[in-house]
Structure formats: structure tokens, C-alpha cells
């Protein structure tokens, strides 16, 4: 009996000793670790950040039941704003990654300024191929966020010679820090928990390559097209590969910036040059320049799958323009409209893929919803009977304009839509 308790005391003492030693090591290593791993917090010099201050979203009340139904377009609002209006605006500079919420936006030929100008691609036997949240294993892209910083002549640090000015601003890409396994990982996790270490890492890329920079333009496949894009792959830090679960030494992941003179012209359902004076085009958007959603339509879908996903955010559907006012699915028949001062064509309805099954806040993919619910009742387009529709694909009738939150939405023309599918290379459809 006594010998057992003796051993017990000895091992107790030993544990205490090791514990103490660990503490000393930890206390010594901690500041060193933080020093090595934390990047100093400095914003791009001479620039201002685009978009709403964080924590201020025009979607903060998106689950309010008042959005479940529409209001007449001539309804008098207490705040004096038009009852059919733009509720929120988003641009998604890096395809499939987190968006930036805006108060107003310039709209250029390819859509909202900066929208889908950058994309990740994977190198395969036939070259670089665009990768999105849809691709297996890439749902972690949902937690990659971007910030756009544009030159600000009113900043005291503004100076034409700075690289940030030469590149027309910068995009900051951030992603969750991955703690390695083992004791170091434990320390890193503790440091993040007590906020000694930032939980996200980041790097920056030029918004536009400056004239003397060395980013060759190479073809990147997106659907059937292979537009030229600047190869920014050398700027990817190894920790980003690690975050995406790829081996940095052999990872075929690349980052590309659309080349402004090699945008993809789009036809299919888009209005033609003869009609609006220019052929609509996009950078890395799937099909058309702008994507619009009506919040009442989204609420209708969200309520139908509320038992599986109680709070289905409209942000899952990655629209550029979210409107409020019209009743659910009124937009199904819009052909032409005016948003603020800008005339806009509805090219077709948005045919949905399974991408909205990924939760933008957690990066987790639901096995079924909301795709299942959508397919149950939203396969409404004659041109594609297999896929569900939600929202509209838009083409502005002018090459440059501006849209702001609160702008009135006026429907000028309604009619039928018939979706024209994306063709495989070489495939032809009569009359298209
Ligand atoms: C793109 O850049 C990466 C990294 O610098 C390089 O390894 C790759 O060969 C480049 N690809 C092309 C097609 O230029
Ligand atoms: C959008 O949100 C901002 C504050 O975050 C608010 O000042 C503004 O009135 C909102 N706009 C509309 C049209 O709801």
C-alpha cells in the first residue's frame, strides 16, 4: 500500500516538474512566436478601403418577416425612399470567395466594378482551369475574403510613385490561419484565442499590373472560353495552399487577374451590339455581367427549407444587386428595367447550380439544401427543364454608369424568358 502511494507522489512531483518546465518554455516561446508569426497591421499607404465599414450591412434585417411579401410599387414608405428599390449591393472581386458590400458602385462593361476580375485556377494536362466553390474540395474558398484599396488623393501618404498608386490600388486577400498539429499548433491556437495572434493571414496583389511588372498573360479556361489573364501565381503564399489543404511544394494552384483587353464577349441570351451599341462581355463571371435577386423570392425559398437550414442567408446566392419591394418571383418576367438612372436588360433567369449549398459563414456544404427545395418548385424555364431558376442575369444598356443602395427599381417591360444553355466547345444551336 505505502509503496504504491510513494510512487504516486514521485510521479506527481515529476508531472509537476514537467508542467512547470512546459510553462517556462511556453512563456519564453510565446512572445517569440507572436513576433515571428504576426504580420504588422498596416493598411496600404495612400489608399482607402472600398465598401461599407465592417459590421454595417444593409442585409442586417434580412430575416425580418416584412420581406416575405411584396408591396405595391407606388406604396408610400415612411423613410421617403421608393418602395421598390435596391436593398444591398455586392461585388465579388475574387471568383467564389467572399464579397464586398457597397453603398454605391460604378458599373462598367463587365458588371459592377472589380466584380470577378480575379480567379483561382488549377493546372491540369490541358492548361489552367478556373476553380470555384463548386469543385470538390474547394468549399474552403468561401472563407477567403478580399478587400479592395483604391488610391486616395486626399490621403497624406498619397504619392504617384508608390507601387500601390502605380497599380491603381491593391486587393488584400485573407484566409483563416491554420495551426499545425503538435505542441506548436497548441501554442498558436492559444495565441489566437487570447488574440495575441490574428486568426487570419493575408497578402496583397496589385489591382492592375503596372507597366513594368512581370506578370505574363496566359490562357485560363472558364467554361468553353480561354481568355488571357495575368499570371499572379508567384504571389500566392505557401500558407494559402495549406489552408486549402494542398501541398505547397507540388500544388498546381494559381491566381489570375482578367486582362482588360481580353474579356469574354457573351451572346446566348444577351442583347446584341446592333441593339445596344456594344457586345456585352464579362471577366470571370460565369455568364453575364450582373446578377440580381429579389429578397421576397429568396424568403420564399428560405422558408421552404427552414427545417433543415433555419437561417438561410441571401448571401449564399452571391447576387450583385438585391432588390426589395416586388412580390416573390415577380422578376421572373422582367425584360427591361431602370435602376436609378440606368437602363438595364434582363438577359435571362439565373439557372442555379449547387453552389448555394455552401454556407458563406462557415464554408460548410449541406448535402441537399437549398438545391433540393429549388428543384422541387423552381424548374420553370422552358429552356432548361432540369435546373431551378432564382434571380435574373442583367446586362446594362450603357457601358458606364453608377448604381446605389436606395435607387428606385422601375420595370419598363415584361415578357417571356427562355434560357439558352451553355454550349460545349464546337456545339452549335440553330440561329444563335
Ligand atoms: C504562372 O506562374 C507560376 C508561378 O510563378 C509558374 O510556375 C507557372 O509556370 C506560370 N504559368 C504559366 C503558364 O506561365
Ligand atoms: C443601408 O445601411 C446604412 C447603414 O448601415 C443606412 O444608413 C442606409 O440608410 C441603408 N440604406 C437603405 C436604403 O436601407
Amino acid at each position: 500500500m505505502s509503496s504504491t502511494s510513494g510512487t504516486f507522489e514521485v510521479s506527481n512531483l515529476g508531472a509537476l516538474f514537467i508542467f512547470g518546465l512546459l510553462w517556462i518554455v511556453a512563456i519564453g516561446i510565446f512572445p517569440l512566436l507572436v513576433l515571428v508569426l504576426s504580420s504588422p497591421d498596416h493598411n496600404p499607404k495612400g489608399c482607402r478601403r472600398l465598401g461599407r465599414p465592417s459590421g454595417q450591412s444593409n442585409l442586417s434585417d434580412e430575416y425580418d418577416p416584412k420581406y416575405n411579401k411584396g408591396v405595391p410599387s407606388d406604396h408610400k414608405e415612411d423613410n421617403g425612399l421608393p418602395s421598390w428599390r435596391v436593398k444591398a449591393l455586392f461585388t465579388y472581386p475574387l471568383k467564389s470567395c467572399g464579397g464586398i458590400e457597397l453603398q454605391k458602385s460604378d458599373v462598367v462593361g463587365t458588371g459592377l466594378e472589380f466584380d470577378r476580375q480575379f480567379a483561382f485556377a488549377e493546372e491540369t494536362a490541358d492548361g489552367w482551369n478556373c476553380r470555384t466553390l463548386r469543385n470538390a474540395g474547394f468549399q474552403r474558398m468561401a472563407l477567403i475574403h478580399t478587400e479592395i484599396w483604391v488610391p486616395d488623393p486626399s490621403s497624406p501618404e498619397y504619392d504617384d510613385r508608390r507601387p500601390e498608386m502605380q497599380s491603381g490600388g491593391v486587393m488584400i486577400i485573407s484566409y483563416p490561419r491554420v495551426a499545425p498539429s503538435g505542441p506548436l499548433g497548441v501554442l498558436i491556437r492559444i495565441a489566437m484565442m487570447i488574440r495575441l495572434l490574428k486568426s487570419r493571414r493575408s497578402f496583397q496583389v496589385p489591382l492592375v499590373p503596372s507597366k513594368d511588372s512581370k506578370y505574363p498573360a496566359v490562357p485560363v479556361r472558364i467554361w468553353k472560353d480561354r481568355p488571357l489573364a495575368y499570371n499572379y501565381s508567384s504571389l500566392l503564399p505557401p500558407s494559402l495552399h495549406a489552408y486549402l489543404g494542398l501541398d505547397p511544394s507540388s500544388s498546381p494552384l494559381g491566381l489570375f487577374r482578367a486582362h482588360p483587353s481580353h474579356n469574354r464577349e457573351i451572346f446566348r441570351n444577351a442583347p446584341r451590339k446592333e441593339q445596344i451599341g456594344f457586345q456585352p462581355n464579362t471577366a470571370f463571371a460565369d455568364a453575364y455581367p450582373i446578377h440580381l435577386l429579389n429578397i421576397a423570392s429568396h424568403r420564399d425559398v428560405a422558408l421552404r427549407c427552414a427545417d433543415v437550414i433555419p437561417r438561410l442567408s441571401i448571401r449564399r446566392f452571391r447576387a450583385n444587386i438585391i432588390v426589395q419591394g416586388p412580390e416573390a418571383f415577380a422578376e421572373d418576367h422582367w425584360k427591361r428595367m431602370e435602376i436609378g438612372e440606368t437602363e438595364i436588360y434582363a438577359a435571362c433567369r439565373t439557372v442555379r447550380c449547387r453552389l448555394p449549398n455552401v454556407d458563406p459563414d462557415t464554408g460548410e456544404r449541406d448535402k441537399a439544401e437549398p438545391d433540393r427545395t429549388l428543384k422541387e418548385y423552381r424548374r420553370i424555364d422552358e429552356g432548361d427543364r432540369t435546373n431551378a431558376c432564382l434571380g435574373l442575369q442583367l446586362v446594362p444598356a450603357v457601358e458606364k454608369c453608377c448604381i446605389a443602395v436606395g435607387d428606385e427599381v422601375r420595370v419598363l417591360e415584361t415578357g417571356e424568358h427562355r434560357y439558352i444553355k451553355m454550349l460545349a466547345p464546337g456545339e452549335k444551336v440553330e440561329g444563335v
Side-chain angles (χ1 to χ4, degrees):
M1 262 317 238
S2 66
S3 73
T4 330
S5 86
T7 342
F8 189 78
E9 267 163 34
V10 169
S11 66
N12 236 356
L13 256 177
L16 210 66
F17 178 74
I18 290 169
F19 188 71
L21 203 68
L22 268 177
W23 258 112
I24 291 165
V25 172
I27 288 166
I29 285 182
F30 229 75
L32 201 72
L33 186 79
V34 169
L35 211 69
V36 171
L37 290 178
S38 60
S39 42
D41 218 353
H42 60 75
N43 293 333
K45 290 207 163 54
C47 295
R48 66 178 172 83
R49 189 172 69 84
L50 209 73
R52 304 208 66 98
S54 63
Q56 286 186 27
S57 169
N58 286 106
L59 291 180
S60 56
D61 64 346
E62 70 164 313
Y63 303 110
D64 190 321
K66 74 179 177 197
Y67 296 116
N68 294 358
K69 52 186 197 319
V71 291
S73 59
D74 58 0
H75 177 77
K76 269 254 169 304
E77 298 277 293
D78 298 337
N79 52 18
L81 290 169
S83 62
W84 286 24
R85 63 177 185 267
V86 175
K87 171 154 182 64
L89 283 176
F90 288 86
T91 186
Y92 300 85
L94 182 49
K95 190 175 178 68
S96 273
C97 299
I100 296 175
E101 186 169 354
L102 305 163
Q103 174 65 40
K104 62 177 192 307
S105 177
D106 282 338
V107 178
V108 294
T110 52
L112 266 63
E113 197 177 17
F114 309 113
D115 194 53
R116 277 89 174 189
Q117 295 295 315
F118 299 83
F120 285 116
E122 199 171 11
E123 197 167 28
T124 59
D126 69 338
W128 290 101
N129 279 274
C130 229
R131 286 290 173 257
T132 73
L133 279 175
R134 281 183 290 262
N135 299 110
F138 280 87
Q139 64 266 33
R140 286 187 193 171
M141 280 163 85
L143 301 189
I144 298 179
H145 296 162
T146 56
E147 288 175 6
I148 297 281
W149 290 76
V150 291
D152 177 11
S154 72
S155 156
E157 292 172 319
Y158 182 89
D159 180 344
D160 278 344
R161 289 158 303 180
R162 279 190 197 287
E164 290 89 345
M165 319 287 103
Q166 303 257 313
S167 62
V170 296
M171 177 169 75
I172 296 183
I173 301 174
S174 71
Y175 47 98
R177 182 190 291 279
V178 186
S181 50
L184 182 67
V186 174
L187 285 181
I188 289 178
R189 256 179 236 119
I190 294 172
M192 285 199 283
M193 225 153 61
I194 59 178
R195 297 181 184 230
L196 268 178
L197 207 56
K198 278 189 285 177
S199 58
R200 297 179 69 82
R201 311 192 67 163
S202 64
F203 65 104
Q204 70 181 50
V205 303
L207 264 191
V208 187
S210 54
K211 276 184 234 70
D212 54 356
S213 64
K214 296 174 201 66
Y215 302 108
V218 303
V220 178
R221 177 180 295 282
I222 169 162
W223 302 105
K224 65 172 180 45
D225 299 325
R226 297 182 75 117
L228 292 183
Y230 296 110
N231 186 357
Y232 273 11
S233 306
S234 58
L235 301 174
L236 293 181
S239 57
L240 177 71
H241 295 82
Y243 167 65
L244 287 171
L246 306 164
D247 172 7
S249 63
S250 62
S251 164
L253 188 76
L255 175 65
F256 294 85
R257 198 261 185 256
H259 194 299
S261 40
H262 293 275
N263 287 323
R264 301 145 57 217
E265 287 200 326
I266 46 171
F267 297 92
R268 298 203 289 151
N269 288 103
R272 298 297 192 263
K273 188 173 179 181
E274 302 79 68
Q275 205 175 344
I276 59 173
F278 63 98
Q279 192 57 42
N281 55 85
T282 69
F284 288 121
D286 278 339
Y288 299 91
I290 300 176
H291 176 204
L292 172 144
L293 279 181
N294 172 8
I295 191 166
S297 310
H298 171 263
R299 294 306 306 149
D300 196 276
V301 176
L303 291 175
R304 286 168 194 253
C305 52
D307 52 334
V308 181
I309 305 173
R311 286 161 76 88
L312 185 87
S313 173
I314 195 169
R315 288 181 295 112
R316 284 179 183 244
F317 291 88
R318 305 175 61 80
N320 299 113
I321 301 177
I322 294 165
V323 303
Q324 68 175 87
E327 67 180 85
F329 308 120
E331 73 281 11
D332 281 346
H333 303 285
W334 296 353
K335 297 290 282 184
R336 200 162 54 87
M337 69 200 81
E338 215 166 38
I339 297 183
E341 309 274 286
T342 307
E343 187 187 350
I344 296 182
Y345 286 84
C348 57
R349 302 184 180 117
T350 307
V351 169
R352 307 306 326 196
C353 61
R354 293 166 55 89
L355 191 147
N357 288 16
V358 178
D359 181 340
D361 296 325
T362 62
E364 275 158 32
R365 195 191 299 270
D366 190 90
K367 279 195 289 295
E369 296 294 6
D371 182 64
R372 180 171 57 198
T373 297
L374 278 165
K375 286 216 170 78
E376 263 164 27
Y377 82 118
R378 290 291 303 164
R379 295 196 284 187
I380 55 154
D381 196 290
E382 287 291 335
D384 185 348
R385 280 295 183 190
T386 49
N387 291 299
C389 293
L390 186 67
L392 289 176
Q393 297 289 316
L394 308 182
V395 175
V398 290
E399 278 186 280
K400 197 151 178 52
C401 57
C402 180
I403 291 180
V405 172
D407 274 359
E408 185 174 2
V409 176
R410 279 183 301 273
V411 179
L412 304 177
E413 196 183 323
T414 57
E416 272 315 299
H417 277 295
R418 190 193 170 97
Y419 187 75
I420 298 173
K421 285 186 199 162
M422 194 95 63
L423 299 178
E427 198 179 344
K428 282 212 175 76
V429 164
E430 197 108 348
V432 178

